[in-house]
Amino acid sequence: MTRTPARTDAYAHELRAVARHLGRRRFLTGTGAAAALAFAVNLPSAGTAAAAELDGRKITENPFTLGVASGDPQPGSALLWTRLAPRPYEAGGGLPGDARLAVRWELAHDERFTRGVRRGTALAHPEFDHTVHVEADGLAPGRAYFYRFLVGDWSSPVGRTRTAPAPGARPAGLKLAAVSCQAYHDGYFTAHRHLADEDLDVVFHLGDYLYEYAVNATGGARAYTDRRLPDVFDRETLTLEDYRLRYALYKSDPDLMAAHAAHPFAVTWDDHETENNYAGDVPENGVPPEEFLIRRAAAYRAYWENQPLRRPQRPAGPDMKLYRRLRFGRLAQFDILDTRQYRSDQAYGDGWQTPGPESEDPARTLTGATQERWLLDGWRASRATWNVVPQQVVFSERRSVPTAAYKLSMDSWDGYPASRRRVLAGAAAAGVENLMVLTGDVHVAYGLDIKDDFRDPSSRTVGTEIVATSVSSGKNGSERPSNHDALTRANPHLRFYDGRRGYVTVALGEDSARADFRTVASVTTPGAPVVTAASFVTEAGRPGLTPA
């Protein structure tokens, strides 16, 4: 982590003031950190009553610069999101910090809104940076709707969303996409432009929606020549204002806006939405815990504000319950995990390390005990054909070389093998036949067979792991990364490996599932076409990948 000395001194002074104000014991609790966050960033302490309502007709600039989004589809409900920001690269989005606005929303069967379904009004509060989360209920299951927001004379872009099938329904199919890792400074979000054109029911974003690293005036690898970004982005995110502004930068990208408008998203985070490789309440670089808790509270708050998430996910200080379950009739159950907030600290100083007693400790956990029980209980109750786990880091074993001197990634499930064994044992006890894990994080695409015992290549295959490559992180990448041969020889269960940017689509049916790995050749220049690099099928009741 790099900070300028002046910024470090100012930030440390603010944190010391917060700690003195609250007292160390209270400061280190969740409620204390929430209060500290409000104190440190000067949020209104009197709640919504502190803001006066602003007449939307007085808004003279387009407030919908960051587009619209929908998320977490339910059978009779859609979650709709927008943020009012006439000047998105300014703190507060260019709106008064003491004003709330009435935002009208409409839902219809057609994009011209001639066949209306629902409408209402929501308040955009300054306490939540004028973001709006609308839970539109009373909808029909398993169908598409169009939606928009209105303020004064301004209308948002039109979005399209879908509700989930009815609980007992048996839909013939479901098509999803998985994406992850979109570093703005590493290139254009071309993959999202192509994603917007796919015919999908839902998109799972598997983490690293933004990066905390500085973005210079020319957008890093984007190398802008037609614009200059403000200096507010040319620093690492630390405060609530920093994170809010960084979301504004990312969400102003037209390709990302197009993908959000086209499909409902179900999101989960990894590390960079807060700080690289943090583990629970342990930061990357050994700063005092009270400093990191304040940073985590700011990051979590900005994450909820800027994502299409429902009320149960709203954070309290440095805590946010992001793991949750979505059901698509009897076809699929999605158990969305958070493998960052509750994990034990990485063994052996992080990175790729030789495994040993520390990493093998049975007490180590990647999910935390409560989330682990929730996952296993959900499998026991599941009646779905496919049990899909969207999560962050690689689940299957990845040995670095095909020799006894191999290393494993301590940040992935390989650094928590006891946690992985408990999860696989729970799946077996629950009788889960069609386990599929969706993964992000590593900036490459993998197709993996999940083995009952990774040390024995002939052991039973118990599931399938689909790893989505990055949208832009790592810049352009290559079809065959330098470790391609070593990794494929060291891991016989690795069926596919490609290092280019893109996403993956998965079509689930009653009898089989098909994964298409979609890639683009370049992200450092805009407009690259998308191709299907490879396609694989896994049959219901017979886990494992075979070329399509």
Side-chain angles (χ1 to χ4, degrees), residues 76-319:
S77 173
L79 189 286
L80 313 178
W81 175 94
T82 195
R83 179 187 163 203
L84 307 182
R87 300 175 187 175
Y89 295 171
E90 296 180 9
L95 291 172
D98 60 351
R100 62 178 183 262
L101 287 93
V103 181
R104 306 187 309 280
W105 58 271
E106 297 178 347
L107 209 65
H109 289 306
D110 65 308
E111 56 187 326
R112 293 181 176 272
F113 292 83
T114 60
R115 293 185 292 140
V117 176
R118 294 288 309 280
R119 63 176 57 193
T121 300
L123 289 177
H125 294 290
E127 291 90 338
F128 295 112
D129 209 25
H130 294 107
T131 57
V132 176
H133 296 73
V134 171
E135 298 190 28
D137 298 322
L139 306 180
R143 68 165 302 156
Y145 292 93
F146 296 88
Y147 65 96
R148 65 183 176 185
F149 297 90
L150 305 102
V151 171
D153 295 328
W154 297 97
S155 179
S156 75
V158 174
R160 182 179 182 273
T161 192
R162 292 189 66 90
T163 53
R170 291 186 176 275
L174 162 70
K175 190 172 184 181
L176 63 90
V179 295
S180 69
C181 304
Q182 50 196 45
Y184 188 98
H185 57 278
D186 272 357
Y188 289 90
F189 294 167
T190 308
H192 279 305
R193 175 61 61 178
H194 295 297
L195 188 70
D197 295 332
E198 298 272 4
D199 183 11
L200 302 170
D201 295 286
V202 62
V203 174
F204 289 93
H205 199 294
L206 304 173
D208 294 345
Y209 189 96
L210 60 68
Y211 282 68
E212 76 275 29
Y213 304 138
V215 181
N216 66 18
T218 57
R222 295 187 178 208
Y224 291 142
T225 59
D226 60 342
R227 75 198 81 171
R228 289 188 68 82
L229 298 176
D231 289 342
V232 295
F233 302 123
D234 199 10
R235 64 194 188 208
E236 186 170 338
T237 53
L238 293 172
T239 68
L240 179 58
E241 182 178 302
D242 290 339
Y243 285 105
R244 284 170 165 174
L245 284 166
R246 195 60 54 87
Y247 279 105
L249 175 64
Y250 277 61
K251 284 183 166 290
S252 67
D253 182 274
D255 295 337
L256 179 56
M257 283 197 285
H260 272 301
H263 313 296
F265 272 54
V267 300
T268 188
W269 55 37
D270 194 17
D271 52 342
H272 287 288
E273 289 89 349
T274 301
E275 181 193 45
N276 178 56
N277 281 358
Y278 82 94
D281 60 359
V282 180
E284 180 184 24
N285 288 328
V287 300
E290 58 266 29
E291 178 176 342
F292 181 67
L293 282 176
I294 289 292
R295 183 179 185 176
R296 199 176 90 170
Y300 284 13
R301 184 186 185 97
Y303 184 85
W304 184 84
E305 288 174 345
N306 285 282
Q307 298 290 12
L309 289 165
R310 294 177 181 267
R311 287 189 197 95
Q313 278 63 64
R314 195 158 75 182
D319 302 312

